[in-house]
Amino acid sequence: MIKIGIIGAMEPEVEELKKEMDLTAVIRKAGMDFHDGTLNGTPVVIVRCGIGKVNAALCVQILADEFKVSHVINTGVAGALNPRLDIGDILISRDAIHHDMDVRIFGYRLGEVPQMGFLEFKADEKLMALAKEACEKANPDTHVMYGRVVSGDQFISSKEVKEHLISEFQGDCAEMEGASIAHGAYLNNIPFVIIRAISDKADDSAEMDYPTFETAAARHSAALVIELIKGILP
Ligand code: ADE
């Protein structure tokens, strides 16, 4: 059975989706409100997980255990690392990496979770393709590209850290939940995709740009998700 878990870290990232859905119940767990119902007829659970990797991981596990979701979509905003991404553009994850995992002392690569055997969590190819199609329909004037999401418990707002994330990980955008959602989805065998609208350039101007563009960017990403779930058929 299809049931899509849709996660945003903050309220603007989920509020448009919640407005559009037909709500059956709100179930509170771990301080998060899980909105269970349908969106254009498709069963969904929409939830604001809060900021950061721990919140995101807990949220995915609850979606897996309590709601038995078949797919996970993460919608939200991110700082651009790739110079081809401008504020307002959309990045669809090809994969995701924890940029703050460092066990190099025992021979692991920077970003590699020990004993996983790989560095990057790969997004579901079908969801990636559907997300791109949906973006072209929902936001036809928006530049959209596939790329790598790098996540850590850190707001990136300096040129030096940005350069490090590009040179070490070839990251395309930086945010604070995606890799945890990817990691949790992988462990539970659930296909996932991360969709992020660019709110800032993750550099010295990020502190100014982020509050200015956050809401509009979050809505952009949410509009795409509404279109995307129409394409996920049983
Ligand atoms: N989310 C949006 N912009 C971000 C940034 N610059 N760093 C981390 N998370 C973000």
Side-chain angles (χ1 to χ4, degrees):
M1 194 191 120
I2 295 280
K3 188 162 189 125
I4 302 167
I6 304 174
I7 306 174
M10 290 171 302
E11 198 52 32
E13 295 171 343
V14 291
E15 73 181 345
E16 293 298 314
L17 295 162
K18 287 196 312 199
K19 271 189 223 156
E20 290 285 319
M21 82 181 292
D22 290 312
L23 187 66
T24 309
V26 180
I27 295 120
R28 193 166 176 81
K29 279 212 171 264
M32 303 171 200
D33 289 327
F34 293 81
H35 293 71
D36 196 359
T38 57
L39 188 55
N40 291 320
T42 304
V44 293
V45 184
I46 300 174
V47 55
R48 172 171 66 89
C49 69
I51 295 167
K53 298 206 305 174
V54 173
N55 285 325
L58 279 167
C59 185
V60 176
Q61 196 58 50
I62 294 168
L63 285 171
D65 290 345
E66 303 289 327
F67 297 93
K68 317 280 183 227
V69 297
S70 56
H71 301 74
V72 169
I73 299 172
N74 174 217
T75 170
V77 299
L81 300 175
N82 187 324
R84 285 166 56 213
L85 282 170
D86 217 333
I87 290 172
D89 291 353
I90 288 192
L91 182 123
I92 297 168
S93 63
R94 182 175 288 118
D95 54 33
I97 297 179
H98 296 284
H99 69 68
D100 54 0
M101 175 62 75
D102 184 356
V103 194
R104 284 176 293 176
I105 190 78
F106 293 120
Y108 295 101
R109 288 168 292 172
L110 187 61
E112 186 176 354
V113 179
Q115 301 175 351
M116 297 292 293
F118 58 87
L119 182 64
E120 68 280 1
F121 296 93
K122 291 192 194 314
D124 181 70
E125 287 184 7
K126 254 202 232 151
L127 288 177
M128 286 169 57
L130 283 172
K132 190 138 185 287
E133 265 172 47
C135 189
E136 279 149 12
K137 266 200 201 153
N139 309 309
D141 301 326
T142 301
H143 171 226
V144 56
M145 59 180 266
Y146 293 128
R148 171 166 292 166
V149 176
V150 296
S151 315
D153 284 319
Q154 211 179 338
F155 187 87
I156 309 302
S157 57
S158 91
K159 230 171 143 218
E160 292 70 33
V161 182
K162 177 175 176 170
E163 289 309 322
H164 159 81
L165 297 181
I166 296 170
S167 62
E168 288 292 341
F169 302 106
Q170 296 76 53
D172 293 302
C173 75
E175 40 79 298
M176 301 175 70
E177 297 82 23
S180 274
I181 290 169
H183 191 160
Y186 169 81
L187 292 176
N188 287 282
N189 217 3
I190 300 170
F192 77 91
V193 70
I194 303 160
I195 297 160
R196 294 276 175 164
I198 301 302
S199 56
D200 58 81
K201 300 266 184 91
D203 56 14
D204 309 326
S205 60
E207 200 181 320
M208 298 277 285
D209 288 340
Y210 176 79
T212 312
F213 297 110
E214 183 215 349
T215 304
R219 288 200 177 129
H220 237 150
S221 182
L224 193 164
V225 172
I226 291 171
E227 194 59 43
L228 163 60
I229 67 154
K230 292 184 194 161
I232 303 177
L233 301 170

Coordinates of all heavy atoms in Angstrom, one line a residue, residues 77-79 154-156 174-176 199-200 202 206 210, ligand 1:
V77 N 14.5 23.8 2.5 CA 15.4 24.8 1.9 C 16.9 24.4 2.2 O 17.1 23.5 3.1 CB 15.1 26.2 2.4 CG1 13.7 26.7 2.1 CG2 15.4 26.3 3.9
A78 N 17.8 25.0 1.5 CA 19.2 24.6 1.7 C 20.0 25.8 1.2 O 19.6 26.7 0.5 CB 19.5 23.4 0.8
G79 N 21.3 25.8 1.6 CA 22.3 26.7 1.1 C 23.0 26.1 -0.1 O 23.4 25.0 -0.1
Q154 N 24.9 22.1 11.6 CA 25.7 23.3 11.4 C 25.0 24.2 10.4 O 24.8 23.6 9.3 CB 27.1 22.9 10.9 CG 28.2 23.7 11.3 CD 29.5 23.1 10.8 OE1 29.6 21.9 10.4 NE2 30.5 23.9 10.6
F155 N 24.8 25.4 10.6 CA 24.3 26.3 9.6 C 25.6 26.9 8.9 O 26.4 27.4 9.5 CB 23.5 27.5 10.1 CG 22.9 28.3 9.1 CD1 21.7 28.0 8.5 CD2 23.5 29.5 8.6 CE1 21.1 28.8 7.5 CE2 23.0 30.3 7.6 CZ 21.8 29.9 7.0
I156 N 25.7 26.7 7.6 CA 26.9 27.0 6.9 C 26.8 28.5 6.4 O 26.0 28.9 5.6 CB 27.1 26.1 5.6 CG1 27.0 24.6 6.0 CG2 28.5 26.4 5.0 CD1 28.0 24.2 7.1
A174 N 23.9 22.4 1.0 CA 24.1 22.1 2.5 C 22.8 22.4 3.2 O 22.2 23.4 3.1 CB 25.3 22.9 3.0
E175 N 22.5 21.4 4.1 CA 21.4 21.6 5.0 C 21.6 20.8 6.2 O 22.7 20.3 6.5 CB 20.0 21.4 4.3 CG 20.0 20.3 3.3 CD 19.8 18.9 4.0 OE1 20.7 18.5 4.8 OE2 18.8 18.2 3.7
M176 N 20.5 20.5 7.0 CA 20.8 20.0 8.4 C 20.0 18.7 8.7 O 20.0 18.3 9.9 CB 20.5 21.1 9.4 CG 21.4 22.3 9.2 SD 21.1 23.7 10.3 CE 21.6 23.0 11.9
S199 N 17.8 28.8 -0.4 CA 17.4 30.0 0.3 C 18.6 31.0 0.5 O 18.4 32.1 0.9 CB 16.9 29.6 1.7 OG 17.8 28.9 2.4
D200 N 19.8 30.5 0.2 CA 21.0 31.3 0.5 C 22.2 30.6 -0.2 O 22.1 29.5 -0.7 CB 21.3 31.5 2.0 CG 21.4 30.1 2.7 OD1 22.5 29.6 2.7 OD2 20.4 29.7 3.3
A202 N 25.1 29.8 1.4 CA 26.0 29.2 2.4 C 27.3 29.9 2.6 O 28.3 29.2 2.9 CB 26.2 27.7 2.0
A206 N 24.8 34.4 3.9 CA 23.7 33.5 4.2 C 22.9 34.0 5.3 O 21.6 33.8 5.3 CB 24.3 32.1 4.5
Y210 N 19.1 34.1 4.2 CA 18.2 33.0 4.6 C 16.9 33.5 5.2 O 15.8 33.0 4.7 CB 19.0 32.2 5.7 CG 18.2 31.1 6.3 CD1 18.0 29.9 5.6 CD2 17.5 31.3 7.5 CE1 17.2 28.9 6.2 CE2 16.7 30.3 8.1 CZ 16.6 29.1 7.4 OH 15.8 28.1 7.9
Ligands
ADE1 N1 19.5 25.5 5.3 C1 19.3 26.6 4.5 N2 20.5 27.2 4.4 C2 21.4 26.6 5.1 C3 22.8 26.7 5.3 N3 23.4 27.7 4.8 N4 23.4 25.8 6.1 C4 22.7 24.8 6.6 N5 21.4 24.6 6.5 C5 20.7 25.5 5.7

